[in-house]
């Protein structure tokens, strides 16, 4: 009843009143067998009695009143905290948990681990306590058998766990964008080791993997690469249904490496394509105010990356490409239009005639006026 929805709080309180039981602070513990023979869902009165018998000496020595409830593989112990200092209640819970583990180990064929929830102010918070216990038991596979797992301790490492998961996700996204298959394999293995080190449980790792799936799909779409909707569904089903964590990570590695292969092919072709597209934009808009950042925005790439690509592929800076294009246009206009040199300079996009004249002479070997005169003389001489 107490595990039910919040809207039944009044019924829960009435249930307590009918039994002359106060609503009170509590801490929930759960001792579970580390190895359970038989079907996972099979309820075994023998196992319940065995666990209860093993830990009963510890319960009898406890100065704190308690309730117990058996399950198919363990025993819940609810320590009731009416009139008890919360700090003392917490100490009693830890001491009882340690004794339960020790007594379970002393009993033949019993290996117990115990989860400890947070101190809660009201029995109405029992659903929260049950969720805390479930999370504690998820951590048991990382800590090992005969462990005491406190929910407060789990919370203390959660911020570091979240930070590490975010760092790993961002790193893998960076490697995916450059098509680095080998880097992805190494980074994914390192991420898995880190997650285990900081205490990530199966739900955390599943969430991490689903996040990577979504990142991969997003990056693929950015590169204009299509993904079969059936493949999208299939990888999610694999992640959510995986029982063995290493299998889950292997599936994600295959997905990311496959995506990296396709992206890598485009990345190899990208520099030449970007330079060609940059030159095309400059050729169309050289007369206007044009900057590298404006071109990068039109091409949807980082302007620093575009700058490096242009330099590597052409040996020139973006400004050099722009000025050379303007100079070539100026040469054509000086020969074909009845314009003065300074008028041509402004027409092709220069804001300063002196700068134009200096660059023109550097590129062509003579001033704009001399170039126009020289070309005119050649035409006249050829008549």
């Amino acid at each position: 009843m107490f595990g039910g929805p919040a809207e039944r709080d009044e019924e829960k309180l009435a249930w307590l009143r009918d039994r002359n039981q106060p609503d009170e602070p509590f801490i929930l513990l759960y001792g579970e067998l580390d190895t359970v023979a038989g079907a996972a869902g099979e309820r075994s009165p023998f196992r319940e009695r065995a666990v209860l018998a093993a830990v009963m000496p510890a319960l009898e020595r406890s100065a704190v009143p308690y309730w117990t409830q058996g399950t198919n593989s363990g025993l819940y112990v609810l320590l009731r905290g009416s009139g008890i200092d919360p700090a003392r209640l917490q100490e009693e819970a830890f001491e009882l948990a340690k004794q339960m583990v020790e007594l379970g180990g002393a009993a033949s064929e019993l290996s117990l681990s115990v989860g400890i929830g947070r101190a809660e102010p009201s029995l109405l918070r029992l659903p929260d306590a049950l969720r805390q216990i479930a999370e504690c038991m998820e951590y048991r596979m990382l800590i090992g058998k005969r462990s005491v797992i406190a929910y407060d301790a789990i919370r203390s490492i959660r911020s570091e766990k979240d930070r590490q998961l975010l760092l790993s996700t961002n790193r893998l996204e960076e490697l995916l964008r450059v098509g680095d298959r080998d880097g992805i394999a190494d980074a994914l293995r390192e991420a898995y080791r880190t997650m285990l080190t900081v205490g990530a449980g199966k739900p955390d790792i599943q969430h991490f993997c689903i996040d990577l799936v979504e990142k991969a799909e997003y990056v693929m779409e950015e590169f204009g690469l299509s993904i079969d909707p059936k493949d999208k569904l299939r990888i999610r089903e694999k992640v959510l249904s995986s029982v063995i964590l290493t299998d889950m990570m292997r599936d994600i590695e295959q997905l990311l490496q496959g995506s990296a292969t396709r992206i890598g092919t485009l990345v190899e072709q990208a520099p030449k394509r970007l330079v060609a597209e940059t030159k095309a934009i400059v050729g169309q808009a050289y007369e206007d105010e044009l900057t590298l950042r404006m071109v990068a925005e039109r091409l949807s790439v980082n302007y620093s990356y575009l700058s490096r690509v242009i330099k590597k592929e052409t040996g020139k800076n973006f400004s050099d490409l722009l000025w050379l294009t303007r100079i070539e246009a100026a040469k054509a206009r000086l020969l074909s239009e009845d314009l003065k040199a300074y008028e041509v300079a402004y027409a092709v996009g220069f804001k300063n005639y002196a700068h134009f004249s200096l660059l023109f002479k550097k590129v062509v070997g003579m001033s704009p006026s001399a170039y126009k005169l020289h070309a005119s003389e050649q035409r006249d001489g050829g008549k």
Side-chain angles (χ1 to χ4, degrees):
M1 177 179 184
F2 275 77
E7 57 265 22
R8 294 175 55 190
D9 284 354
E10 287 303 321
E11 294 178 34
K12 297 171 188 177
L13 292 173
W15 186 90
L16 289 171
R17 286 194 298 270
D18 290 345
R19 288 156 181 78
N20 200 28
Q21 297 289 344
D23 181 25
E24 57 190 340
F26 73 95
I27 290 181
L28 186 66
L29 292 79
Y30 180 58
E32 185 175 65
L33 291 171
D34 291 316
T35 304
V36 180
E42 177 188 353
R43 190 175 182 90
S44 170
F46 172 76
R47 284 199 296 269
E48 290 178 32
R49 289 195 297 270
V51 173
L52 182 58
V55 303
M56 184 54 71
L59 293 173
E60 290 176 344
R61 288 196 294 268
S62 174
V64 179
Y66 61 87
W67 290 335
T68 62
Q69 174 64 51
T71 71
N72 68 310
S73 58
L75 182 74
Y76 282 106
V77 179
L78 187 147
L79 295 182
R80 300 163 56 193
S82 285
I84 301 175
D85 179 72
R88 182 183 160 224
L89 186 63
Q90 194 80 52
E91 291 174 4
E92 288 285 345
F94 272 98
E95 184 60 32
L96 178 59
K98 288 190 292 183
Q99 291 182 30
M100 289 172 67
V101 171
E102 291 169 2
L103 290 169
S108 60
E109 299 182 1
L110 279 182
S111 173
L112 278 178
S113 288
V114 180
I116 308 174
R118 303 179 70 183
E120 297 292 353
S122 166
L123 288 170
L124 299 179
R125 299 289 296 273
L126 186 56
D128 293 332
L130 290 169
R131 285 190 289 271
Q132 294 162 18
I133 291 296
E135 190 166 340
C136 288
M137 303 322 288
E138 282 281 351
Y139 274 74
R140 179 179 48 174
M141 69 175 183
L142 305 175
I143 300 173
K145 296 180 179 180
R146 297 180 179 175
S147 302
V148 174
I149 310 110
Y151 183 73
D152 280 337
I154 293 173
R155 284 179 60 87
S156 69
I157 64 173
R158 186 171 291 165
S159 59
E160 175 62 16
K161 175 186 67 180
D162 291 343
R163 189 180 75 86
Q164 291 293 342
L165 290 175
L166 180 61
L167 288 174
S168 297
T169 302
N170 291 343
R171 174 59 179 155
L172 284 160
E173 183 181 357
E174 290 173 2
L175 294 168
L176 185 60
R177 287 184 181 280
V178 297
D180 188 346
R181 282 177 52 91
D182 294 336
I184 283 173
D186 293 340
L188 201 54
R189 284 190 285 271
E190 180 61 29
Y192 183 58
R193 286 193 293 268
T194 300
M195 284 188 286
L196 295 182
T197 300
V198 299
K202 182 179 177 181
D204 298 308
I205 297 175
Q206 283 179 320
H207 179 77
F208 171 72
C209 289
I210 291 295
D211 194 27
L212 286 178
V213 169
E214 293 174 351
K215 291 280 188 186
E217 292 171 353
Y218 178 75
V219 173
M220 292 279 280
E221 289 174 2
E222 277 192 347
F223 278 87
L225 297 170
S226 61
I227 306 173
D228 190 325
K230 292 181 180 178
D231 291 336
K232 291 183 179 182
L233 179 61
R234 189 177 300 115
I235 186 61
R236 284 171 170 78
E237 289 176 344
K238 279 187 174 183
V239 169
L240 296 175
S241 63
S242 290
V243 176
I244 301 174
L245 294 179
T246 51
D247 290 346
M248 187 193 309
M249 299 302 290
R250 185 190 63 243
D251 291 335
I252 290 299
E253 181 176 336
Q254 290 175 353
L255 168 74
L256 294 182
Q257 287 194 319
S259 300
T261 297
R262 297 177 66 187
I263 290 171
T265 301
L266 290 181
V267 168
E268 290 175 1
Q269 301 169 351
K272 289 181 173 56
R273 175 180 57 81
L274 284 175
V275 170
E277 291 178 352
T278 297
K279 288 181 176 179
I281 292 173
V282 170
Q284 295 168 358
Y286 66 86
E287 298 175 353
D288 304 323
E289 183 74 28
L290 193 62
T291 65
L292 175 63
R293 192 179 293 274
M294 292 165 63
V295 174
E297 287 177 357
R298 287 182 61 175
L299 295 177
S300 300
V301 296
N302 180 275
Y303 83 98
S304 296
Y305 169 70
L306 181 59
S307 177
R308 292 194 299 272
V309 167
I310 292 171
K311 183 68 174 179
K312 182 178 179 181
E313 293 293 318
T314 68
K316 299 179 177 65
N317 297 320
F318 171 78
S319 56
D320 296 331
L321 291 181
L322 179 58
W323 292 338
L324 286 171
T325 302
R326 286 172 172 171
I327 293 297
E328 289 301 315
K331 287 167 62 179
R333 291 197 178 195
L334 284 168
L335 299 181
S336 63
E337 299 180 21
D338 188 19
L339 296 173
K340 298 185 182 300
Y342 72 87
E343 292 175 321
V344 169
Y346 297 134
V348 298
F350 283 96
K351 303 300 181 186
N352 184 290
Y353 175 72
H355 184 219
F356 163 71
S357 182
L358 182 66
L359 286 175
F360 192 97
K361 187 172 184 178
K362 181 178 179 180
V363 173
V364 181
M366 61 184 74
S367 69
S369 299
Y371 175 79
K372 184 169 186 174
L373 179 61
H374 177 71
S376 177
E377 290 174 348
Q378 282 191 324
R379 283 198 305 270
D380 293 342
K383 291 180 180 179

